[in-house]
Amino acid sequence: MFTKFLDPKNDIAFRRIFGSERNKDILIHFINDILVFKKAEPIVEVTFLKTIQDPEIATKKTSIVDVLCEDEKGNKYIVEMQVAKEKGFEKRAQYYAAKAYANQANIGGKYENLKEIVFVAIADFIMFEGKAGFKSDHVILDRNSHEHDLKDFSFTFLELPKFKKTVDQLDSITDKWMYFFKGCDETSPEDLAKIIGSDAIIERAYHELDRYYWNETELLSYEQAEKYEGAYNASLAQKFDEGEQKGREEGEKIGIAKGEQIGLTKGREEEKIAMARKMLEKGMDVRTVKELTGYSLEDLKPESN
């Protein structure tokens, strides 16, 4: 179905909405709406900072746009879109947060002046199989008392496949953002009025993805990003299939080798038993046969069918 709205999960589109100076009020709105940690003191201003992502990793990702910004108190926020399912993504989230935290020490000062790091990820795949909810918030708690003493790290993950609500079921601003990420490019003009309601920022976000306000150069960049994402995902799928096939082949080889080993061991065992029986037939006493072969008279009895 053709609609006038583009896909916010696209690298170029995501950067336009959440990583540009002209739309930083949309980013502020999103962070304040999504984070449970900031309800008491919402951020009012952000400054965009240079991304912390490693070039080696960046070349392997698709539709991931790390937005690193700082609020008026110096707390830092990493907002990331992750389309392709990547092994160890939750570890990479912690690595990026730790790196942003450690980078504060480069400018000198005291440890007590280190600021909070907040990581927000929108994942177009299921990260936590055991969790039913589409949104999960993670902090460091005392194992026994559950007190939140270490306050400088927090992680929020939004898992798009778990969000199942229709337009008529959206009853919170978080629902609206989830629907925006998951179904913006399929939103009809009729549904748009229901989604927006009185929220001017959500309306701005949709407006930014209206293809009729994109020039030819911008649309070309968008389409190139889509092609890259498609090729990357296809490559991942192929590697998965190849890995699965290789795993089956290795399993078969191991199974055959194990079977051969079991057969060989059993054959040798049968040969030793046959030899022990011959010793007895030749008149050798039971004690000597047992000392030489390890088999008792009971062991050497023929098996009953």
Side-chain angles (χ1 to χ4, degrees):
M1 179 181 68
F2 176 84
T3 67
K4 66 177 184 174
F5 298 111
L6 300 173
D7 186 355
K9 297 185 292 296
N10 177 283
D11 189 354
I12 301 299
F14 190 88
R15 184 184 299 119
R16 178 171 176 139
I17 300 169
F18 297 102
S20 64
E21 192 68 29
R22 72 175 186 180
N23 288 326
K24 67 180 182 181
D25 57 330
I26 298 179
L27 176 65
I28 292 171
H29 188 283
F30 171 70
I31 292 174
N32 285 333
D33 290 334
I34 293 298
L35 297 183
V36 297
F37 318 110
K38 295 297 175 183
K39 283 185 177 178
E41 44 180 333
I43 61 176
V44 296
E45 181 59 45
V46 294
T47 302
F48 289 106
L49 305 174
K50 184 180 179 181
T51 178
I52 63 170
Q53 135 183 299
D54 294 324
E56 184 181 17
I57 295 174
T59 60
K60 298 179 181 178
K61 73 182 183 65
T62 180
S63 196
I64 303 172
V65 181
D66 286 329
V67 175
L68 178 62
C69 64
E70 183 179 79
D71 69 14
E72 68 280 0
K73 295 180 180 179
N75 300 315
K76 292 179 173 57
Y77 303 81
I78 302 169
V79 183
E80 183 165 318
M81 169 63 73
Q82 178 73 26
V83 172
K85 187 170 185 177
E86 182 180 303
K87 186 177 181 180
F89 175 65
E90 69 282 358
K91 289 186 177 293
R92 183 157 66 82
Q94 294 173 84
Y95 171 78
Y96 278 2
K99 189 171 182 180
Y101 193 71
N103 281 346
Q104 297 180 78
N106 293 339
I107 59 175
K110 300 179 180 180
Y111 287 121
E112 60 262 33
N113 294 328
L114 294 174
K115 302 298 183 180
E116 292 181 46
I117 304 296
V118 179
F119 188 97
V120 181
I122 305 102
D124 196 24
F125 57 90
I126 293 177
M127 290 186 60
F128 308 110
E129 295 285 350
K131 296 181 185 292
F134 62 81
K135 180 176 182 282
S136 58
D137 302 295
H138 306 255
V139 294
I140 301 174
L141 300 177
D142 183 293
R143 185 187 295 274
N144 295 318
S145 68
H146 297 163
E147 291 175 302
H148 187 198
D149 301 312
L150 306 180
K151 303 179 185 295
D152 283 358
F153 290 93
S154 60
F155 301 83
T156 292
F157 297 99
L158 304 173
E159 300 172 75
L160 298 184
K162 292 181 180 179
F163 184 77
K164 307 294 185 181
K165 291 186 178 182
T166 64
V167 171
D168 294 323
Q169 296 173 322
L170 306 181
D171 54 13
S172 70
I173 190 63
T174 300
D175 284 351
K176 291 183 179 182
W177 280 119
M178 290 297 291
Y179 192 89
F180 172 77
F181 288 119
K182 188 172 182 178
C184 177
D185 54 333
E186 298 178 355
T187 302
S188 66
E190 294 74 25
D191 288 337
L192 185 59
K194 298 179 184 178
I195 297 169
I196 292 173
S198 59
D199 198 314
I201 295 293
I202 291 288
E203 183 176 19
R204 284 264 320 282
Y206 270 93
H207 178 81
E208 283 297 322
L209 290 185
D210 189 331
R211 69 173 65 243
Y212 297 115
Y213 293 101
W214 288 51
N215 60 41
E216 289 186 13
T217 302
E218 291 168 336
L219 285 173
L220 179 61
S221 297
Y222 175 91
E223 290 167 1
Q224 287 175 337
E226 275 197 329
K227 289 178 181 178
Y228 172 77
E229 290 158 15
Y232 180 80
N233 287 333
S235 174
L236 283 184
Q238 182 178 352
K239 288 179 180 178
F240 177 82
D241 291 341
E242 289 173 353
E244 195 176 45
Q245 179 63 29
K246 186 176 180 181
R248 283 197 296 266
E249 292 173 356
E250 290 295 328
E252 289 173 0
K253 289 179 182 177
I254 292 171
I256 292 171
K258 189 173 182 180
E260 289 176 347
Q261 182 62 39
I262 291 172
L264 184 61
T265 302
K266 187 176 181 181
R268 287 173 178 169
E269 194 76 10
E270 290 174 350
E271 286 179 6
K272 287 171 67 177
I273 290 174
M275 180 63 69
R277 285 173 179 161
K278 284 183 180 180
M279 290 177 181
L280 290 174
E281 290 172 2
K282 294 293 183 181
M284 193 175 290
D285 66 278
V286 175
R287 179 178 293 181
T288 303
V289 171
K290 185 175 181 182
E291 288 177 356
L292 293 173
T293 67
Y295 293 116
S296 66
L297 189 60
E298 187 70 25
D299 296 329
L300 300 176
K301 287 181 180 179
E303 293 182 1
S304 59
N305 295 327

